[in-house]
Amino acid sequence: MVKKETQTIEALLDANNFDFSTVKVLDESGKIVNEALMPELSDEELVDFMEKMVFYREWNERMFALSRQGRLGFVAPTAGQEASQLGTVLATTSDDVLFPGYRDLPQLMEHGLPRHKAFLWSKGHVDGSTYPEDFRAYPPQIIIGAQYVQAAGAALGIKKNGRKAIAMTWTGDGGSSQGDFYEGINYAGAYKAPAVFVIQNNGWAISTPRESQTAAPTLAQKAVAAGIPGIQVDGMDILAVYAVTKAAREFAIEGNGPVLIETLCYRYGAHSLSGDDPKRYQPEGAQEHWRGLDPLNRFRIFLTEKGLWTEEREEEVVAQAKEEAKQAIQDAEAAPKQKVSDFLKNMFEEADQITQEQIEQYEAKENK
Amino acid sequence: MAQMTMIQAITDALDIELNKDDRTLIFGEDVGKNGGVFRATEGLQDKHGEDRVFNTPLAESGIGGLAIGLSMEGFRPIMEIQFFGFLFEVMDSIAGQMSRTRFRMGGSRNMPITVRSPFGGGVATPEMHADSLEGLIAQSPGVKVVIPSNPYDAKGLLISSIRDNDPVVFLEHMKLYRSFREEVPEGEYTIPLGEANVVKEGTDVSIIAYGAMVREAIAAAETLEKEGINAEIIDLRTVYPLDIDTLIKTTEKTGRVVVVQEAQRQAGVGEKVISEISQRAVLSLKAPIQFVAAPNTVYPFGMAEKEWLPNANDIVEAVKEATVF
């Protein structure tokens, strides 16, 4: 149920707003349902949003294919979450510090991570998470929730440095059950630190449904206990996600403290390509239901009706994604073999005696 | 030179480093106005401001996460864990996260974090406050673990820890905080991490200890002296990394070794010391290595501490085992 009276950005960013109805801008038939929240975007920017969603939908397909060929390592599917992932990250700038979860490679790539590094991370190569000094991001987090407390720390640092930026982090509905989730939003709230916390509620923590995570009717309302605004948004609607995130970023930058955003979305695929099969645990009809809400589909209709999108353009973007994935996997596969001696050298700034002995042992082995 | 307790030496080191580098921050539970539950940060908030010395909400994992995030923004965090028995609440931030950042990111990032925490038994704290968990943390690659045994070392080692670009867990034995004073130079000086201290030269046996057990070793050596046994005392000062050279040198010199730790006998730092000596200098040994440690129980209730904790008498007995062999 959309309660119109709270559907303004000001109301949504009020920590005392206890109406957690879902914010929507564009419905599944491609119609604008809330003009007041429609973000100001040029035609070029609108097209760019679509291109990016199409790109990452295809990128997801490429990851599947490469995974089946045994050319990738850990792969967490992203199809279904394009509006959630891109709508949030496209509201950030390169000054912002990102703390992604393991499914959030698209956000890192939009932040500037070279595509082959995303593949290297998947394959388990250290070059995949070796970042230049001015790249403001942390590698994808595996321990669900840890990124929340770290983002609170970075946000406090940003505030102390007087930078006009935010720390942004993502976890899932499962992650919102973690203690670190609460510690993170509570810390940032207590320090009025500029963080934007995103819960991508895709309905499932591997096989555990959202309903089993918590008795709370929404995850956005978890913000109430931290005294910060919590907003639930239609995570299949890139315009709504973008509008809310952009407003949250500005709110945080102005010194008002953090914001928690829950995006309602869905992962079409398994939790990861390392084993689980959604058919075992998801009810029949779930896929069809969510396909009917697809973020690409509704935005495609919207743009096509505005005369901004064509099938040809979509095919071009798909072809481009295929080409870039092909190049990226080649680049990833050309990465030098990893050396244990390098790992040992990277444990400390200066190696201690036993580590130094091990470096020498491994170098001798490696040079044989 | 001034006479200082260990806690005063620690406060002095913190003050010096806050003065030296304005990227240095101190935070933790009650470290602000209250100056910490042991007063280690007393007066520092008044002097350096609430922006640099501040309280955190009561959540240890949050304190660790804060340190990691602040490091990414170019700060040098000194975080306090109120009692090291609360390590479990912050284990992921320390052992799972800050410890692996340099490794994970191919050497492209520093984590210049100092984790300060009181630990150790003998002062009748409630449960979960006194445990010696240094072995647990020393087993985590990517973290250095420093344990001073006296005011002079505490100051020099803490300054080194704060200046180190890697995470250092700096453990302060509660019993040593105020139990004695010694001369501590004013101003800054450093003691390198990873270097053991020869507390007392000796010829007959090497007693290798750290933390509060160094005091017990000194007391034991005095007793032994009267019985004609001249003990050498080595204070590890850093339990990871270990100073292998000093361990081997003393073993080769005396041929008899007694390793002492306050922690339970199972696994841990003492085992590591024994293992390195066994692998590297077994032929220098004239007797089996003796190991003085606490029994393998949970840390006991306050009234049983005296029975439970290793002490000078235990060390004397162990030395005799090693010397009559």
Side-chain angles (χ1 to χ4, degrees):
Chain A
M1 282 292 106
V2 177
K3 289 189 192 163
K4 283 287 175 199
E5 61 273 19
T6 64
Q7 297 279 317
T8 66
I9 289 296
E10 292 71 28
L12 291 168
L13 290 170
D14 178 358
N16 295 313
N17 168 29
F18 299 143
D19 176 5
F20 298 97
S21 59
T22 313
V23 175
K24 279 177 186 291
V25 172
L26 185 68
D27 75 5
E28 49 269 35
S29 65
K31 296 274 177 301
I32 300 293
V33 293
N34 192 337
E35 275 294 346
L37 292 187
M38 178 70 190
E40 277 181 38
L41 291 163
S42 67
D43 287 352
E44 289 73 27
E45 286 170 314
L46 290 170
V47 168
D48 182 56
F49 280 20
M50 184 64 192
E51 287 176 351
K52 289 195 158 85
M53 287 204 289
V54 169
F55 183 95
Y56 286 107
R57 178 63 60 87
E58 181 58 27
W59 188 267
N60 183 70
E61 292 305 307
R62 293 299 97 204
M63 290 198 304
F64 264 79
L66 291 165
S67 177
R68 271 195 300 267
Q69 294 164 21
R71 295 166 83 184
L72 288 178
F74 176 77
V75 172
T78 58
Q81 294 193 206
E82 292 85 356
S84 171
Q85 294 183 318
L86 297 167
T88 47
V89 80
L90 290 173
T92 65
T93 75
S94 58
D95 287 336
D96 298 333
V97 188
L98 307 192
F99 291 83
Y102 47 72
R103 202 182 301 283
D104 300 320
L105 275 306
Q107 292 97 304
L108 273 180
M109 287 188 255
E110 286 311 306
H111 201 55
L113 185 76
R115 302 206 189 281
H116 77 283
K117 285 205 177 231
F119 281 162
L120 281 172
W121 179 81
S122 165
K123 286 162 70 71
H125 194 296
V126 67
D127 285 354
S129 43
T130 305
Y131 300 164
E133 222 164 283
D134 59 353
F135 185 65
R136 297 184 191 277
Y138 203 70
Q141 180 55 252
I142 298 295
I143 298 301
I144 293 153
Q147 69 272 37
Y148 260 56
V149 285
Q150 294 164 11
L156 180 59
I158 288 168
K159 184 179 175 179
K160 285 184 178 298
N161 281 328
R163 295 207 294 118
K164 286 282 178 200
I166 59 166
M168 182 177 277
T169 186
W170 297 261
T171 192
D173 39 313
S176 72
S177 296
Q178 288 275 0
D180 273 355
F181 163 85
Y182 178 72
E183 292 189 26
I185 62 172
N186 187 58
Y187 263 66
Y191 293 124
K192 279 201 180 300
V196 174
F197 297 103
V198 182
I199 306 169
Q200 298 189 84
N201 175 0
N202 65 17
W204 299 92
I206 305 190
S207 70
T208 305
R210 149 73 182 85
E211 292 71 35
S212 303
Q213 288 294 335
T214 173
T218 69
L219 303 179
Q221 75 194 67
K222 293 193 175 197
V224 173
I228 66 172
I231 307 171
Q232 188 187 66
V233 59
D234 182 345
M236 307 297 259
D237 171 359
I238 193 166
L239 294 177
V241 174
Y242 177 80
V244 162
T245 312
K246 196 158 170 44
R249 182 180 188 274
E250 279 160 21
F251 176 88
I253 281 178
E254 290 310 313
N256 299 303
V259 178
L260 177 68
I261 299 170
E262 175 190 8
T263 64
L264 294 176
C265 54
Y266 187 73
R267 58 169 160 86
Y268 292 137
H271 160 69
S272 82
L273 299 187
S274 311
D276 68 310
D277 173 8
K279 286 198 204 82
R280 289 169 64 98
Y281 52 80
Q282 293 200 4
E284 250 181 80
Q287 285 274 340
E288 291 70 21
H289 169 75
W290 284 96
R291 292 272 178 195
L293 304 174
D294 191 84
L296 276 66
N297 195 45
R298 66 174 79 178
F299 205 56
R300 185 183 293 120
I301 300 169
F302 170 73
L303 287 186
T304 305
E305 283 179 0
K306 282 173 86 80
L308 294 172
W309 194 252
T310 61
E311 263 180 55
E312 293 72 42
R313 182 63 197 136
E314 182 144 346
E315 280 164 18
E316 281 168 21
V317 176
V318 168
Q320 185 199 340
K322 283 183 177 152
E323 192 49 46
E324 287 193 31
K326 198 172 149 192
Q327 186 61 52
I329 194 70
Q330 282 172 6
D331 292 348
E333 286 170 347
K337 198 166 171 250
Q338 300 183 92
K339 290 186 197 162
V340 175
S341 59
D342 286 336
F343 292 158
L344 286 160
K345 286 174 195 168
N346 289 335
M347 284 313 301
F348 292 108
E349 193 171 42
E350 281 174 59
D352 59 272
Q353 188 178 342
I354 294 184
T355 307
Q356 188 54 44
E357 288 173 6
Q358 292 179 350
I359 290 170
E360 284 155 23
Q361 278 168 20
Y362 277 90
E363 278 181 339
K365 266 197 226 177
E366 287 155 3
N367 293 333
K368 252 184 202 166
Chain B
M1 294 275 262
Q3 288 278 326
M4 282 191 198
T5 60
M6 193 166 97
I7 197 97
Q8 287 169 331
I10 286 165
T11 310
D12 190 24
L14 294 171
D15 188 32
I16 286 169
E17 289 307 286
L18 283 169
N19 268 327
K20 194 178 174 78
D21 182 354
D22 63 9
R23 309 300 287 172
T24 305
L25 305 173
I26 293 178
F27 52 89
E29 294 155 7
D30 307 303
V31 301
K33 226 177 206 54
N34 193 48
V37 290
F38 291 98
R39 308 283 178 267
T41 54
E42 184 144 44
L44 296 179
Q45 188 180 61
D46 273 352
K47 195 167 167 191
H48 300 280
E50 288 179 28
D51 219 33
R52 310 261 325 270
V53 181
F54 54 95
N55 288 341
T56 61
L58 201 159
E60 283 77 15
S61 189
I63 297 172
L66 210 64
I68 295 167
L70 283 162
S71 297
M72 290 191 67
E73 278 295 306
F75 291 93
R76 303 186 75 85
I78 306 170
M79 56 177 264
E80 179 175 301
I81 297 301
Q82 198 156 49
F83 291 91
F84 206 52
F86 311 162
L87 171 68
F88 302 104
E89 277 61 44
V90 65
M91 196 66 179
D92 181 52
S93 282
I94 298 174
Q97 304 287 331
M98 63 180 73
S99 64
R100 69 179 59 219
T101 300
R102 185 183 293 283
F103 168 87
R104 177 194 267 158
M105 299 187 75
S108 65
R109 292 293 187 286
N110 291 332
M111 280 279 128
I113 298 166
T114 304
V115 181
R116 284 187 46 249
S117 186
F119 84 114
V123 292
T125 52
E127 237 188 328
M128 311 297 284
H129 285 64
D131 301 64
S132 291
L133 302 173
E134 69 276 10
L136 199 59
I137 201 75
Q139 210 199 351
S140 310
V143 192
K144 298 175 186 173
V145 187
V146 177
I147 304 180
S149 71
N150 60 67
Y152 176 86
D153 284 359
K155 181 173 170 181
L157 288 167
L158 183 52
I159 292 176
S160 292
S161 300
I162 295 167
R163 293 181 187 177
D164 201 284
N165 279 332
D166 290 308
V168 178
V169 174
F170 189 90
L171 296 176
E172 302 160 8
H173 200 290
M174 286 182 263
K175 209 177 165 186
L176 301 178
Y177 268 153
R178 292 189 167 82
S179 55
F180 65 104
R181 289 171 185 274
E182 69 178 21
E183 292 287 321
V184 175
E186 279 162 37
E188 56 180 270
Y189 65 92
T190 59
I191 296 172
L193 306 185
E195 278 187 20
N197 182 32
V198 183
V199 177
K200 175 184 171 295
E201 300 255 7
T203 49
D204 301 329
V205 60
S206 303
I207 306 173
I208 300 168
Y210 59 95
M213 288 299 119
V214 174
R215 308 294 299 169
E216 299 298 321
I218 292 168
E222 282 165 11
T223 306
L224 292 163
E225 199 75 53
K226 288 173 200 148
E227 299 181 25
I229 299 172
N230 183 7
E232 177 149 299
I233 302 173
I234 306 293
D235 177 359
L236 291 177
R237 294 199 293 207
T238 304
V239 302
Y240 188 86
L242 283 174
D243 180 352
I244 302 294
D245 285 346
T246 300
L247 297 178
I248 301 313
K249 214 170 131 192
T250 191
T251 304
E252 286 169 350
K253 180 176 174 188
T254 67
R256 298 175 197 277
V257 174
V258 176
V259 178
V260 189
Q261 70 176 22
E262 182 174 315
Q264 293 86 339
R265 188 181 172 99
Q266 61 190 76
V269 172
E271 297 284 0
K272 181 66 188 155
V273 171
I274 293 167
S275 158
E276 291 295 336
I277 292 173
S278 305
Q279 287 185 50
R280 294 167 192 263
V282 73
L283 296 179
S284 303
L285 289 169
K286 297 174 197 153
I289 300 172
Q290 296 295 311
F291 190 14
V292 176
N296 288 357
T297 76
V298 166
Y299 192 91
F301 303 107
M303 286 179 71
E305 282 181 325
K306 225 173 154 224
E307 288 68 35
W308 192 87
L309 287 166
N311 60 31
N313 286 337
D314 300 328
I315 299 171
V316 169
E317 293 305 312
V319 166
K320 286 180 180 169
E321 285 284 323
T323 46
V324 299
F325 184 83

